[in-house]
């Protein structure tokens, strides 16, 4: 039996397992632990493709497993987090117990994106629309920003139903928007081919170092902005 061919799918299943654990901690509103397991799941998600390419064992099964695992870790979990944020928000729009379920619009947007990604041949070298892992980290960071921020403005902003609803709608939109975004996955093992990814990684480390959890949404925003600049000026050296 060739063990190598099973390694990428095993890593993908570890992503799914992390998503399941994160769901449990979200249900307990232990968002920091949930964030950790989502981050770990995304780490596994990054390396399943890396090892699939390294061992040359890519196939349809791996593609489908990857999307199914992402659906939990980067689809259901952030929707569940937004549900709790809306449930604990100020009742500016509605105090109905049904209202927080609108948070799962993020899950619906994630599901549509993952399904479309599997049949969209344009997304082999880069992404179109925000990848679900990036959106998941953005949403998972919000309750942590609330917990650790000393800013009254930030606290009021992220407890506003209007703002949370806007974030929910924007998440569903940006996941499926026709905006080219550079891939974070390593395709070739050269500095030149990964220059943009290296610049983004360095910027991400600085933002998280100086702003802690508040740096996470800034990282995601920077990713989108860098992609827009890259599309305009071809920072990665590729012809657009």
């Amino acid at each position: 039996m060739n063990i190598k061919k099973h390694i990428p799918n095993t890593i993908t299943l570890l992503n799914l397992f992390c998503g399941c654990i994160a769901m449990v901690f979200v249900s307990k509103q232990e968002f920091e632990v949930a964030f950790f397991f989502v981050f770990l799941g995304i780490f596994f998600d990054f390396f399943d493709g890396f090892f699939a390419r390294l061992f040359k064992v890519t196939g349809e099964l791996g593609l489908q497993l990857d999307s199914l695992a992402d659906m939990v870790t980067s689809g259901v979990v952030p929707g569940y987090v937004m549900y709790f944020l809306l449930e604990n928000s100020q009742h500016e729009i509605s105090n109905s117990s049904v209202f927080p379920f609108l948070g799962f619009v993020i899950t619906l947007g994630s599901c549509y994106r993952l399904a479309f990604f599997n049949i969209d041949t344009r997304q082999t070298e880069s992404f179109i629309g925000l990848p679900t892992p990036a959106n998941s980290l953005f949403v998972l960071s919000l309750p942590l920003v609330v917990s650790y921020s000393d800013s009254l403005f930030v606290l009021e902003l992220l407890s506003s139903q209007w703002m949370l609803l806007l974030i929910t709608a924007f998440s569903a939109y940006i996941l499926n928007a026709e905006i080219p975004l550079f891939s974070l996955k390593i395709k070739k093992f050269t500095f030149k081919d990964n220059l943009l990814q290296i610049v983004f990684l360095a910027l991400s480390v600085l933002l998280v170092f100086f702003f802690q959890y508040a740096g996470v949404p800034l990282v995601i925003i920077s990713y989108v902005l860098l992609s827009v600049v890259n599309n305009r000026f071809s920072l990665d050296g590729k012809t657009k």
Side-chain angles (χ1 to χ4, degrees), residues 33-175:
V33 182
F35 180 92
F36 169 79
F37 277 103
V38 165
F39 184 85
L40 184 60
I42 292 171
F43 175 83
F44 287 129
D45 181 48
F46 180 89
F47 278 102
D48 60 359
F50 174 83
F51 281 106
R53 290 185 293 273
L54 182 64
F55 296 146
K56 299 179 181 180
V57 292
T58 56
E60 188 64 25
L61 176 61
L63 178 66
Q64 298 303 324
L65 275 178
D66 188 68
S67 291
L68 291 170
D70 281 349
M71 185 59 220
V72 176
T73 306
S74 300
V76 179
V77 174
Y80 200 15
V81 168
M82 185 56 73
Y83 166 86
F84 279 112
L85 288 174
L86 287 168
E87 188 177 50
N88 297 323
S89 63
Q90 301 171 13
H91 296 158
E92 304 153 309
I93 303 175
S94 172
N95 60 359
S96 169
S97 60
V98 177
F99 183 80
F101 285 99
L102 289 174
F104 287 106
V105 167
I106 294 174
T107 303
L108 303 183
S110 300
C111 181
Y112 188 90
R113 175 188 167 71
L114 289 167
F116 187 72
F117 180 85
N118 284 352
I119 61 173
D120 188 357
T121 57
R122 299 172 300 167
Q123 302 193 59
T124 55
E125 296 295 329
S126 60
F127 298 114
I128 297 176
L130 187 67
T132 53
N135 188 65
S136 182
L137 288 177
F138 181 90
V139 175
L140 266 290
S141 70
L142 297 180
L144 302 180
V145 173
V146 171
S147 297
Y148 288 96
S149 177
D150 296 324
S151 171
L152 183 60
F153 172 75
V154 171
L155 295 177
E156 290 182 350
L157 194 66
L158 294 180
S159 62
S160 165
Q161 285 186 333
W162 285 108
M163 177 54 65
L164 293 173
L165 208 56
L166 179 63
I167 292 173
T168 299
F170 184 74
S171 290
Y173 163 75
I174 198 67
L175 284 166

Side-chain angles (χ1 to χ4, degrees), residues 220-237:
I220 307 305
I221 293 170
S222 298
Y223 173 51
V224 175
L225 293 177
L226 264 178
S227 295
V228 172
V229 173
N230 179 54
N231 295 335
R232 179 65 179 84
F233 298 103
S234 299
L235 297 180
D236 56 4

